[in-house]
Amino acid sequence: MIDPILLEVFKNRTSAIAEEMGVILQRTSYSPNIKERRDFSCAIFNSKGELIAQAAHIPVHLGSMPMSVLETIKSISFEEGDMVVLNDPYKGGTHLPDITLIAPVFIDGKLQFFVANRAHHSDIGGASPGSMPISNSIFQEGFIIPPVKLVKKGQIDKEIFSLIKNNVRTPEEREGDFNAQIMANITGIKRLKELVQKYSLKTVNLYMNALLDYSEKIMRNKIKEIPDGAYSYEDYMEDDGLGNTEIKIAVEISIKNDEAIVDFTKSDPQTEGSINAVKAITMSAVYYVFRSLLSSDVPTNAGCFKPIKVITRKGTIVDCTHPAAVSAGNVETSQRIVDVVLGALSKAIPEEIPAASQGTMNNITIGGINPETDQSFTYYETIGGGMGASVKTDGESAIQSHMTNTLNTPVEALEFEYPFQVVRYSIRKNSGGNGFHRGGDGIIREIKLLADAQVTVISERRKIAPYGLFGGEAGETGKNIVIKNGKEEIKPSKFSEKLQAGDIIRIETPGGGGYGNPTS
């Protein structure tokens, strides 16, 4: 018999463990990308690799981190004190800078749980600093790590660690961030053992399974509220950075009773550039949308996703095959997948679905040699924008939305860590779409380089605007601008260029779409 009070206790205890892991990771990390932007996720899993609890971190990791755990279970024989590292997108990863560390939790000599965290490292090698190049193969994007033990019986494998550090531009920073990930997992292991010591292994497993059943029940009830039928929508990726344009992402969502089938088979084939998404990304985006339909106090775990079936076709933009380039699929294509799933659902439950948000993460990487330290530096940032309006309210301005849940790097931290000067950081006024409720406004971020550097920008919604709904107007498209000697150059959505000290890069992010007729 399940005690509802104890079920609530376990819901909060398990999510608190993941949250505490995140606090440890953030506070002990070296890079601003993890320390300031909090570009990471932490989670706990049962012995089958099913997600039990994930902290409120990065939505794009929802469906992909469990796949990393499952791939690791297939290929690794665990012993107590081990930790496995991987970043291979074709083995449950997302893109190469996202590095996952997985640790088993043994109770009385038997493997009972896993803890894991995934953090975006600001460099993992590859063709350009920041490991987000304009690429046509995954081999150009960085050092590929299959599931391998980084820690063996409590001791770091120095040979593996040296191999990784020897393939990145900022080895000291990487070492600090890896150590932070290790400490986060150690914390998770300790807390799970304390939980078992307090309640017994039998009780912990009973209530973990009950949480899965509870979340599944809530999701099924929510899907039942959506009218039965088939709902379709399509939108386009503007380009892949290598001359291929308007790559279609199409979805048909079939609702029958308490189950949803989300079918992407009519999407375009994978492309030459790096906007290809592995299936884990597509699943994450779908899970995020359906999870967002639920009230916030429902535990996020594998049970939420059991009533949802995601269908893809191999070799497409939403389920690419090796060795397709994927670095932008994680950050850009994931956003468009969300847009098409929301667009389809807007036909079924219009009052619950907002207009399109900015639909991009506006990725910028900058790397070079810091003249003050004579050391390599790599900077990575995603920049917020406008959120789509809804039936109830205007969209939020200058905020990260959908598949990214990171913070911004504060100006003080940015200028302290890197040879940059932030010239402007402001809301992009009136960039949100007009409507009965207006879309949120984007951001203008302008950075002056104080050293020569390679700058790479991976963005979208520079040509195809974020859509409005039900008479609402589209948000403004974004702009990428380089300023040399006072002269502005408009750049495409994806570019990589060597800039000189004194040059300025300005990113103007898109606004969100409006909702409803502005005259009604």
Side-chain angles (χ1 to χ4, degrees):
M1 185 70 179
I2 299 299
D3 182 343
I5 296 176
L6 201 53
L7 184 68
E8 184 72 13
V9 169
F10 273 92
K11 183 193 81 172
N12 288 286
R13 286 294 296 268
T14 53
S15 62
I17 291 171
E19 292 283 358
E20 186 180 359
M21 290 170 63
V23 171
I24 296 298
L25 176 52
Q26 183 242 330
R27 290 186 176 180
T28 59
S29 61
Y30 273 38
S31 67
N33 193 54
I34 299 173
K35 181 170 54 181
E36 302 287 354
R37 291 185 60 246
R38 303 185 190 181
D39 194 346
F40 60 79
S41 289
C42 299
I44 62 175
F45 302 81
N46 63 18
S47 60
K48 299 176 184 177
E50 294 176 309
L51 178 67
I52 297 299
Q54 178 173 328
H57 292 150
I58 309 297
V60 79
H61 299 160
L62 270 175
S64 55
M65 210 161 23
M67 292 183 74
S68 293
V69 175
L70 290 173
E71 285 291 334
T72 300
I73 291 172
K74 290 179 187 177
S75 59
I76 298 292
S77 177
F78 281 102
E79 296 182 88
E80 190 158 8
D82 291 347
M83 293 195 195
V84 168
V85 63
L86 77 152
N87 71 349
D88 188 344
Y90 294 98
K91 294 182 179 177
T94 48
H95 61 176
L96 297 182
D98 280 348
I99 300 179
T100 306
L101 198 65
I102 301 165
V105 182
F106 284 82
I107 306 293
D108 296 329
K110 186 176 180 180
L111 197 162
Q112 297 289 348
F113 313 105
F114 291 94
V115 295
N117 65 76
R118 174 172 290 169
H120 185 116
H121 288 244
S122 58
D123 189 84
I124 192 63
S128 64
S131 308
M132 297 279 289
I134 309 294
S135 55
N136 61 20
S137 166
I138 192 172
F139 298 114
Q140 299 172 353
E141 296 179 345
F143 189 62
I144 304 170
I145 309 170
V148 63
K149 291 183 183 181
L150 181 64
V151 181
K152 297 179 179 178
K153 297 182 179 180
Q155 298 296 317
I156 294 175
D157 187 319
K158 294 182 180 179
E159 293 180 351
I160 295 292
F161 213 4
S162 294
L163 182 63
I164 295 172
K165 291 193 295 179
N166 202 51
N167 280 275
V168 302
R169 294 173 176 84
T170 49
E172 290 184 5
E173 188 177 83
R174 300 287 65 73
E175 182 173 3
D177 287 346
F178 271 117
N179 286 334
Q181 289 186 264
I182 290 169
M183 290 308 302
N185 278 355
I186 289 173
T187 300
I189 293 168
K190 181 179 179 182
R191 294 293 180 256
L192 277 172
K193 288 184 174 182
E194 290 173 351
L195 194 66
V196 169
Q197 187 175 20
K198 180 172 182 178
Y199 291 101
S200 82
L201 178 61
K202 180 180 178 180
T203 300
V204 170
N205 279 325
L206 175 68
Y207 278 89
M208 282 186 174
N209 289 328
L211 286 171
L212 295 177
D213 294 340
Y214 173 69
S215 294
E216 181 181 355
K217 179 181 178 180
I218 297 299
M219 179 60 79
R220 289 190 182 278
N221 288 340
K222 181 61 190 178
I223 293 174
K224 275 185 180 180
E225 295 175 6
I226 303 173
D228 283 1
Y231 308 96
S232 60
Y233 199 86
E234 62 183 42
D235 203 344
Y236 294 82
M237 300 297 291
E238 293 172 344
D239 67 86
D240 69 348
L242 295 175
N244 302 293
T245 60
E246 296 198 358
I247 300 101
K248 181 175 69 175
I249 298 177
V251 70
E252 181 175 275
I253 301 175
S254 299
I255 303 295
K256 185 175 181 181
N257 193 18
D258 63 354
E259 294 186 344
I261 298 175
V262 186
D263 188 343
F264 291 93
T265 54
K266 294 181 181 179
S267 298
D268 279 350
Q270 67 189 53
T271 189
E272 184 181 7
S274 66
I275 61 171
N276 302 296
V278 294
K279 188 173 182 178
I281 295 296
T282 302
M283 293 173 66
S284 292
V286 172
Y287 291 165
Y288 158 75
V289 171
F290 277 87
R291 173 63 183 83
S292 69
L293 298 177
L294 304 179
S295 59
S296 60
D297 60 346
V298 176
T300 300
N301 58 38
C304 288
F305 314 131
K306 288 183 180 179
I308 304 163
K309 183 179 181 181
V310 179
I311 300 175
T312 59
R313 181 166 51 91
K314 277 289 181 186
T316 59
I317 188 71
V318 297
D319 188 2
C320 62
T321 56
H322 190 273
V326 297
S327 61
N330 176 54
V331 288
E332 295 301 295
T333 309
S334 66
Q335 296 283 59
R336 194 66 71 258
I337 294 169
V338 169
D339 287 344
V340 299
V341 174
L342 287 172
L345 287 174
S346 72
K347 300 176 181 180
I349 43 175
E351 293 191 353
E352 295 188 45
I353 303 300
S357 296
Q358 66 163 336
T360 176
M361 296 192 197
N362 306 291
N363 306 268
I364 178 170
T365 59
I366 306 175
I369 304 295
N370 191 330
E372 293 186 1
T373 63
D374 202 33
Q375 297 290 319
S376 295
F377 71 88
T378 55
Y379 157 74
Y380 171 71
E381 179 100 63
T382 61
I383 305 175
M387 183 174 282
S390 69
V391 69
K392 295 181 180 180
T393 185
D394 294 346
E396 293 283 345
S397 295
I399 194 168
Q400 303 279 7
S401 56
H402 295 324
M403 298 306 284
T404 177
N405 190 33
T406 58
L407 303 180
N408 76 133
T409 305
V411 172
E412 298 84 355
L414 193 64
E415 294 185 339
F416 177 79
E417 293 282 349
Y418 303 108
F420 304 155
Q421 179 186 351
V422 178
V423 179
R424 183 179 180 186
Y425 191 30
S426 65
I427 291 177
R428 189 184 176 203
K429 296 293 185 182
N430 300 315
S431 55
N434 197 14
F436 184 77
H437 289 296
R438 284 191 60 88
D441 291 332
I443 286 174
I444 299 175
R445 189 154 196 167
E446 199 167 302
I447 296 173
K448 182 178 181 179
L449 301 181
L450 303 181
D452 296 349
Q454 184 78 26
V455 176
T456 303
V457 174
I458 303 288
S459 60
E460 275 281 322
R461 296 297 196 195
R462 269 49 183 174
K463 297 176 184 176
I464 303 173
Y467 60 77
L469 283 180
F470 309 112
E473 297 176 3
E476 288 287 330
T477 54
K479 295 180 181 179
N480 303 326
I481 301 168
V482 169
I483 304 171
K484 300 178 181 179
N485 299 317
K487 184 178 179 180
E488 294 187 359
E489 300 176 8
I490 303 295
K491 295 295 181 180
S493 63
K494 299 164 188 70
F495 73 95
S496 187
E497 185 175 340
K498 181 77 171 179
L499 299 182
Q500 296 180 334
D503 292 342
I504 294 172
I505 175 74
R506 181 198 300 159
I507 307 294
E508 299 184 9
T509 70
Y515 190 104
N517 194 318
T519 61
S520 62

